[in-house]
Amino acid sequence: MIRSVVRGFGSALPKRVVPNKELESLVETSDEWIVQRTGIRQRYIAGEGETTASLGEAAARAALDRAGLTPDDIDLVIVATSTPDNTFPATAVNIQNRLGMTKGYAFDVQAVCTGFVYAMATADAHLRAGLAKRALVIGAETFSRILDWNDRTTCVLFGDGAGALVLEAQEGEGTISDRGVLTAHLRSDGSHKDKLYVDGGPSSTGTVGHLRMEGREVFKHAVGMITDVIEAAFEATGTTADDLNWLVPHQANRRIIDGSAKKLGIPLEKVVVTVDLHGNTSAASIPLALAVAAGDGRIKNGDLVMLEAMGGGFTWGAVMLRW
């Protein structure tokens, strides 16, 4: 059986760090209020010359370096983003060009905060189908550019950044001891569209628009949706929370992260949390968290890792892999 195995990881963040205190001069909020309700202490905000593509390129190069590979070794680039540099072409094609690649193929995936999980599942399907041998899977966002900086309920939550993994098709034995992606579970329900959305677009308003969110409604659905796909992953692989080494959740809100772990019986010491450092970076949050935890040695080869996310749409999903 072909498995999609992680060969390398990388991340990139804008130069500017914005602590909660700095936001107190923009909107009626406080560091205490933000930390208590979200767990966020700071975020990174893109400046002049920093875009989704430039951050994605930097993360991709870091992942390639760690894998000991070059852009010529890659056949496929998938970028998960809701904040592309252009309406078209895809940011993935932009990054492909920035890397100097002239072969293979590249495209974007748009599933908002679940984007990286969708991109991982998509890359895994392409590698197992023999369409590519190695893939760059990138989550990159500049959400600061679609925020209403007068809306204190949303502008304090989000940040910018990018993370990337290099996946390689390798022969496995077809057991859960194999390294690589073991199972993926994706869901969506468009009836919740108006609970988390951007109020603009090329076809509707001809503008970029701003992010709008019904925070309580999102929170109400999040824990149940997340546990649904994680339990599906456990069932598909015959594993339990006890077998898991690490849960790497989408970094949206500390209360959602803790609530989901508690409901699933996963000890908090097995949960990777970076929301305090990065804020909610949408599709970039999971690969950024992976880069932190693998970079500091917590996530090691052979570890069983669960990725999970829930985002606008609603979309939600989980991927289980052995690192």
Side-chain angles (χ1 to χ4, degrees):
M1 175 182 283
I2 297 295
R3 296 290 196 190
S4 302
V5 177
V6 176
R7 283 286 308 271
F9 60 87
S11 64
L13 292 162
K15 296 182 183 72
R16 182 184 170 205
V17 182
V18 178
N20 291 343
K21 278 285 183 188
E22 192 172 324
L23 298 179
E24 292 177 7
S25 63
L26 288 179
V27 290
E28 187 182 340
T29 192
S30 68
D31 175 58
E32 182 183 22
W33 187 89
I34 297 169
V35 172
Q36 184 181 24
R37 285 162 177 77
T38 70
I40 298 167
R41 297 185 182 275
Q42 64 173 43
R43 73 284 297 140
Y44 292 77
I45 300 296
E48 188 176 352
E50 292 176 322
T51 69
T52 296
S54 71
L55 293 167
E57 176 199 0
R61 289 190 183 279
L64 287 168
D65 286 347
R66 192 170 284 271
L69 298 170
T70 72
D72 289 338
D73 298 313
I74 301 298
D75 312 297
L76 168 62
V77 180
I78 302 178
V79 174
T81 188
S82 298
T83 51
D85 282 32
N86 304 95
T87 302
F88 75 83
T91 300
V93 175
N94 189 337
I95 293 173
Q96 180 191 35
N97 178 58
R98 285 167 173 265
L99 293 172
M101 293 173 57
T102 55
K103 66 166 192 171
Y105 58 112
F107 59 91
D108 290 355
V109 168
Q110 213 278 48
V112 203
C113 298
T114 320
F116 191 77
V117 171
Y118 272 55
M120 284 287 288
T122 304
D124 178 52
H126 282 237
L127 293 182
R128 286 190 292 106
L131 292 169
K133 171 67 176 173
R134 295 186 191 92
L136 264 171
V137 186
I138 304 166
E141 302 281 17
T142 47
F143 256 54
S144 63
R145 289 172 180 154
I146 57 169
L147 296 178
D148 177 352
W149 286 97
N150 296 310
D151 179 4
R152 74 171 191 147
T153 65
T154 57
C155 75
V156 302
L157 303 178
F158 295 89
D160 304 331
L165 295 183
V166 176
L167 295 183
E168 180 179 270
Q170 295 182 7
E171 284 285 345
E173 295 183 2
T175 70
I176 62 163
S177 297
D178 289 347
R179 287 184 63 207
V181 174
L182 301 176
T183 190
H185 301 268
L186 307 178
R187 309 270 195 274
S188 67
D189 183 349
S191 67
H192 300 290
K193 170 186 171 291
D194 292 336
K195 295 182 177 71
L196 178 54
Y197 69 104
V198 169
D199 61 2
S203 180
S204 56
T205 64
T207 64
V208 173
H210 292 111
L211 184 148
R212 306 298 178 196
M213 180 171 71
E214 295 178 20
R216 288 182 181 175
E217 283 296 309
V218 175
F219 187 89
K220 186 172 78 176
H221 288 87
V223 172
M225 289 177 168
I226 289 163
T227 53
D228 158 53
V229 284
I230 291 177
E231 286 171 347
F234 284 144
E235 184 176 348
T237 54
T239 57
T240 69
D242 292 337
D243 299 307
L244 205 61
N245 295 105
W246 296 103
L247 172 66
V248 185
H250 167 52
Q251 307 289 317
N253 182 302
R254 183 64 196 253
R255 291 192 296 169
I256 293 173
I257 293 169
D258 290 353
S260 302
K262 183 178 180 181
K263 187 172 180 181
L264 289 158
I266 300 171
L268 292 181
E269 54 267 26
K270 287 186 174 184
V271 183
V272 175
V273 178
T274 58
V275 70
D276 55 323
L277 301 173
H278 304 143
N280 183 344
T281 54
S282 191
S285 84
I286 288 175
L288 279 169
L290 283 170
V292 169
D296 66 22
R298 276 179 288 171
I299 296 179
K300 300 179 289 294
N301 280 359
D303 280 356
L304 193 62
V305 180
M306 182 81 76
L307 317 179
E308 60 82 354
M310 178 258 197
F314 290 142
T315 58
W316 64 105
V319 168
M320 181 187 284
L321 68 148
R322 193 168 294 282
W323 197 257

